[in-house]
Amino acid sequence: MSQRRRPTIHEVAKVAGVSISSVSRALNGNTSNADMVARVNAAVREVGYVPSVVAQSLKTRHTGQIAFAMEDIGNAAYLEMVRRIQPTLRDEGYRLLLHSTGADVEDELGVLASLSQNYVDGLILCPLRVTDRHVEALRQTAVPVVVIGLLPDDVPVDNVRADSRVGAQLAVQHLAEAGARRIAFIDGPLDTVPGRARYDGYRMGLAAAGRETDDALIRFTDFRFDAGRQTARELLTEHPDVDAVFGANDLIAMGALHALRELGRDVPGDVRVVGMDDTPLAATSFPPLSSVSLGSADRGRIAAELLLRRLDGDDAPPERVTVPPSLTVRESSR
Amino acid sequence: MSQRRRPTIHEVAKVAGVSISSVSRALNGNTSNADMVARVNAAVREVGYVPSVVAQSLKTRHTGQIAFAMEDIGNAAYLEMVRRIQPTLRDEGYRLLLHSTGADVEDELGVLASLSQNYVDGLILCPLRVTDRHVEALRQTAVPVVVIGLLPDDVPVDNVRADSRVGAQLAVQHLAEAGARRIAFIDGPLDTVPGRARYDGYRMGLAAAGRETDDALIRFTDFRFDAGRQTARELLTEHPDVDAVFGANDLIAMGALHALRELGRDVPGDVRVVGMDDTPLAATSFPPLSSVSLGSADRGRIAAELLLRRLDGDDAPPERVTVPPSLTVRESSR
DNA sequence: TTGAAAGCGATACCAA
DNA sequence: TTGGTATCGCTTTCAA
């Protein structure tokens, strides 16, 4: 914690016996002869000069920083994203700022508004939901924004999305092809975006497999482990003929796995189980859980790349990229 | 993406018909009469003025930003930390920057060196290991640093640490008290800091319980699921009389759980199992895994608080805080 | 190619 | 209390 003032470009100039403009030029690789560069570099080393990024930012009007805002970094999907976003940005010289907004829409709008402070060059945003105020804010942001998630078509912002509807369809078709005849579905709340999409996908999957939908085999609960366990227990007690369960996320599916074990049903022998999100839980559960990946890592990477292109001056029309889901089959449905 | 230039303090001053100094004062709550404040606020709203944090930083010499650097945010312990660090800092008006260094010591030193650029006011660092070069860098950082992890006594830096030695002891004593007679231990590499500490703790725990150490029941492998599974399988095949397994982290313990199931041994009936780190895996495993928490969330919070105190001007001698471990008993050892 | 000087957008000192 | 002005540390235009 030595608090000696850091040397500025003026000290370097004095030591090198040149002007500060020459120092700046030499350091930034602009026209200057080899001799000049050598003298400046020597002086830089001598005084231990490191440029102030703050002063540079003020002058150049960019900060070298990008923000990533989402509900909670503890959520496995967002975690996967940030793990890919960070190296992608760092390779291009950007630092990453993290905003966990919690389940607070106001906070989310606050992040959007704060962009006017110009502390970052761009933002990657995963909105909880997109309100009119979001749309309005997104139309006039101070810096480029990329949204990961659903976005109305008329919002002129780069957009990366998953397809959990097709993902759910994938899961159901897989279960049907594996020979399951009574495929139950434990969904999250139907009035949420993912809950609705997965519900639609489930029905589409059944239809594609030439099966009837039996509403008695569909349940709605929260996207949590305990909720999944409880709901699965009830469902399987009422309908012992169920031979497959599709959980709308891995936590629900894990809950189902526990319930089945408690009911003495063999997985996958008696009942097959598939989850969604392909979190780290899936690989270490017993039996290992088949799960549909929604490509969080890819979505993060693509969002970062889109943003970098914008910062590079690309002013093409906003892009919309949909990342396809993929199913990883493990023992729970084999 | 409207690219109209953002208004500056000069526009506000002009609209309000006052000087820029008065605008600054009114906005920062410094001596100015009510009338002045009202006029300025009106003008601010009229032109949509938002101060530039970059310009403010240049002048005030602080950025309102703090960095958190660790190996990989995907690691459950670091994730827990960041989840507490972020809100703690945000409540005090600081933004959080994330540096994932990967397993690269050079990168870690690079972060330390980059502090001279003054893009943050402070750093929370979780070093992989502390080399001489770390010590040297830590002695002369441009901004306050708090280290989470082991640090030599003579490094004048605030330090927060876990106690996995005592944590391991806790686990072993618990298993002994639960009635286990042959307590095996699957450790990570002995030449790592955590591997060594947990090894010592295991032996202390046995000693405290009045048991002999049997080296045949100790194995070293990697801190990974597959490694734990494989090692546990070998161990339990060679020593069928083992009635408890302590895994040096949750991944190893989960592997042991799988191995036991494959060997047809009941948990906890035949063999009790305890892990360490108390990750989200523990609660959803089957049976739910007892695990020793090393207080990652608390360590993160405390580190953030220590740093905030430094930034507040506290120049007391460096502090060293050790967060005690705690055991959560679940079905796997009940 | 180099140096002088203006300016990025704020804060804070000093007079009035 | 208010306004003028220097200043933070850099980049960049403009002359020389």
Side-chain angles (χ1 to χ4, degrees):
Chain A
M1 272 188 248
S2 80
Q3 295 301 1
R4 202 175 74 259
R5 254 174 76 315
R6 36 200 308 274
T8 73
I9 197 171
H10 289 94
E11 274 86 289
V12 178
K14 184 175 298 174
V15 169
V18 301
S19 73
I20 62 166
S21 354
S22 296
V23 175
S24 174
R25 255 175 269 134
L27 257 31
N28 293 306
N30 295 327
T31 47
S32 33
N33 71 36
D35 182 52
M36 178 82 240
V37 174
R39 291 179 64 177
V40 168
N41 282 334
V44 163
R45 269 191 298 278
E46 184 177 335
V47 304
Y49 171 71
V50 179
S52 156
V53 294
V54 171
Q56 286 178 321
S57 296
L58 181 58
K59 195 60 196 171
T60 62
R61 307 176 144 292
H62 44 80
T63 62
Q65 301 189 154
I66 287 174
F68 177 50
M70 76 279 117
E71 179 191 350
D72 172 16
I73 187 65
N75 182 312
Y78 299 137
L79 181 59
E80 277 311 299
M81 290 180 195
V82 81
R83 290 182 74 188
R84 292 300 300 278
I85 290 174
Q86 210 245 347
T88 304
L89 296 182
R90 192 201 28 213
D91 289 351
E92 298 299 316
Y94 285 92
R95 293 183 292 270
L96 178 68
L97 261 121
L98 212 63
H99 283 295
S100 286
T101 60
D104 187 351
V105 176
E106 286 307 315
D107 215 20
E108 217 167 78
L109 290 164
V111 169
L112 237 25
S114 75
L115 295 179
S116 298
Q117 296 177 106
N118 274 36
Y119 61 98
V120 288
D121 298 336
L123 169 70
I124 299 174
L125 175 67
C126 300
L128 280 168
R129 58 178 157 279
V130 178
T131 66
D132 289 349
R133 293 169 65 199
H134 281 85
V135 171
E136 190 186 358
L138 284 169
R139 284 189 188 287
Q140 45 180 357
T141 55
V143 298
V145 175
V146 176
V147 168
I148 301 181
L150 252 32
L151 202 60
D153 282 332
D154 59 335
V155 183
V157 165
D158 289 314
N159 182 210
V160 183
R161 39 179 75 177
D163 195 338
S164 60
R165 194 164 51 88
V166 168
Q169 193 180 341
L170 226 54
V172 172
Q173 285 189 269
H174 157 67
L175 288 169
E177 283 162 19
R181 312 216 57 84
R182 297 278 284 162
I183 303 174
F185 178 40
I186 306 181
D187 196 6
L190 191 57
D191 61 356
T192 61
V193 173
R196 180 74 214 187
R198 290 160 206 209
Y199 175 75
D200 292 340
Y202 167 74
R203 298 182 67 111
M204 286 168 53
L206 284 181
R211 307 284 175 82
E212 299 279 306
T213 298
D214 180 352
D215 285 340
L217 302 188
I218 303 177
R219 299 293 154 98
F220 302 98
T221 182
D222 289 330
F223 283 113
R224 294 182 305 101
F225 172 72
D226 287 335
R229 183 181 191 166
Q230 171 77 20
T231 305
R233 189 154 37 205
E234 293 164 8
L235 174 70
L236 282 142
T237 305
E238 292 172 32
H239 300 276
D241 59 331
V242 162
D243 59 1
V245 176
F246 170 45
N249 73 352
D250 281 354
L251 288 172
I252 290 177
M254 292 287 294
L257 241 33
H258 277 242
L260 284 162
R261 190 175 290 104
E262 285 154 5
L263 293 169
R265 314 290 299 275
D266 181 56
V267 177
D270 299 330
V271 182
R272 292 182 164 84
V273 179
V274 174
M276 183 170 256
D277 287 345
D278 202 18
T279 61
L281 292 174
T284 58
S285 80
F286 190 87
L289 178 68
S290 298
S291 190
V292 175
S293 165
L294 297 176
S296 298
D298 283 339
R299 280 181 285 153
R301 175 182 52 75
I302 292 169
E305 288 167 353
L306 283 176
L307 186 52
L308 287 169
R309 264 176 35 197
R310 289 295 168 203
L311 296 179
D312 223 41
D314 182 352
D315 60 351
E319 274 206 51
R320 163 147 312 151
V321 180
T322 299
V323 173
S326 64
L327 171 68
T328 298
V329 177
R330 301 196 180 85
E331 284 174 49
S332 72
S333 68
R334 196 116 58 185
Chain B
M1 270 187 253
S2 82
Q3 297 299 1
R4 202 176 73 259
R5 254 177 74 317
R6 37 201 306 278
T8 72
I9 197 170
H10 289 93
E11 274 86 289
V12 178
K14 183 175 298 174
V15 169
V18 300
S19 73
I20 61 166
S21 353
S22 295
V23 175
S24 175
R25 253 175 271 134
L27 258 31
N28 293 305
N30 294 326
T31 47
S32 36
N33 71 37
D35 182 54
M36 178 82 237
V37 174
R39 292 178 63 176
V40 168
N41 283 333
V44 163
R45 269 190 299 277
E46 184 178 333
V47 303
Y49 170 71
V50 179
S52 155
V53 295
V54 171
Q56 287 179 321
S57 295
L58 181 59
K59 194 61 193 168
T60 62
R61 308 178 144 291
H62 46 78
T63 62
Q65 300 188 154
I66 287 174
F68 176 50
M70 76 282 112
E71 179 191 351
D72 172 17
I73 187 66
N75 180 314
Y78 299 137
L79 181 59
E80 278 310 298
M81 289 180 195
V82 81
R83 290 182 75 190
R84 292 301 299 281
I85 289 173
Q86 210 244 347
T88 305
L89 296 182
R90 191 198 32 210
D91 289 350
E92 298 299 316
Y94 285 92
R95 294 182 292 270
L96 179 67
L97 261 124
L98 212 62
H99 282 294
S100 285
T101 59
D104 187 350
V105 176
E106 286 308 316
D107 215 21
E108 217 167 76
L109 290 164
V111 170
L112 238 24
S114 74
L115 295 179
S116 298
Q117 296 178 110
N118 276 35
Y119 61 99
V120 288
D121 297 335
L123 168 70
I124 299 174
L125 175 67
C126 299
L128 281 168
R129 57 177 159 279
V130 179
T131 67
D132 288 350
R133 292 169 64 200
H134 281 83
V135 171
E136 190 185 359
L138 285 169
R139 284 187 188 287
Q140 45 180 359
T141 55
V143 297
V145 175
V146 176
V147 168
I148 301 181
L150 250 33
L151 202 60
D153 282 332
D154 58 335
V155 183
V157 165
D158 288 313
N159 181 210
V160 183
R161 38 179 78 177
D163 195 337
S164 59
R165 194 163 50 88
V166 168
Q169 193 180 342
L170 226 55
V172 172
Q173 285 189 271
H174 157 66
L175 288 168
E177 282 162 18
R181 312 216 57 83
R182 297 278 285 163
I183 303 174
F185 177 39
I186 305 181
D187 196 5
L190 192 56
D191 61 356
T192 61
V193 173
R196 179 74 216 188
R198 289 159 206 210
Y199 175 74
D200 292 340
Y202 167 74
R203 298 184 66 111
M204 286 169 54
L206 284 181
R211 305 285 174 81
E212 299 278 306
T213 299
D214 180 351
D215 285 341
L217 302 188
I218 304 177
R219 298 294 155 97
F220 302 98
T221 183
D222 289 330
F223 284 112
R224 294 183 305 103
F225 173 72
D226 288 335
R229 182 180 192 165
Q230 170 77 17
T231 305
R233 189 155 36 205
E234 293 165 7
L235 174 70
L236 282 142
T237 306
E238 292 173 32
H239 300 277
D241 60 330
V242 162
D243 59 1
V245 176
F246 170 45
N249 73 353
D250 281 354
L251 289 173
I252 290 177
M254 292 288 294
L257 240 35
H258 278 242
L260 284 161
R261 190 175 290 107
E262 286 154 6
L263 294 169
R265 314 290 299 274
D266 181 55
V267 177
D270 300 330
V271 182
R272 293 182 163 85
V273 179
V274 174
M276 183 170 255
D277 287 345
D278 201 19
T279 61
L281 293 175
T284 58
S285 80
F286 190 85
L289 177 68
S290 298
S291 189
V292 175
S293 165
L294 298 175
S296 299
D298 283 340
R299 279 182 287 153
R301 175 182 53 76
I302 292 170
E305 289 167 352
L306 284 176
L307 187 52
L308 287 170
R309 263 176 35 197
R310 290 293 169 205
L311 296 179
D312 222 42
D314 182 351
D315 60 350
E319 273 206 50
R320 163 147 311 152
V321 181
T322 299
V323 174
S326 64
L327 171 70
T328 299
V329 178
R330 300 195 180 86
E331 283 174 49
S332 71
S333 68
R334 196 114 61 183

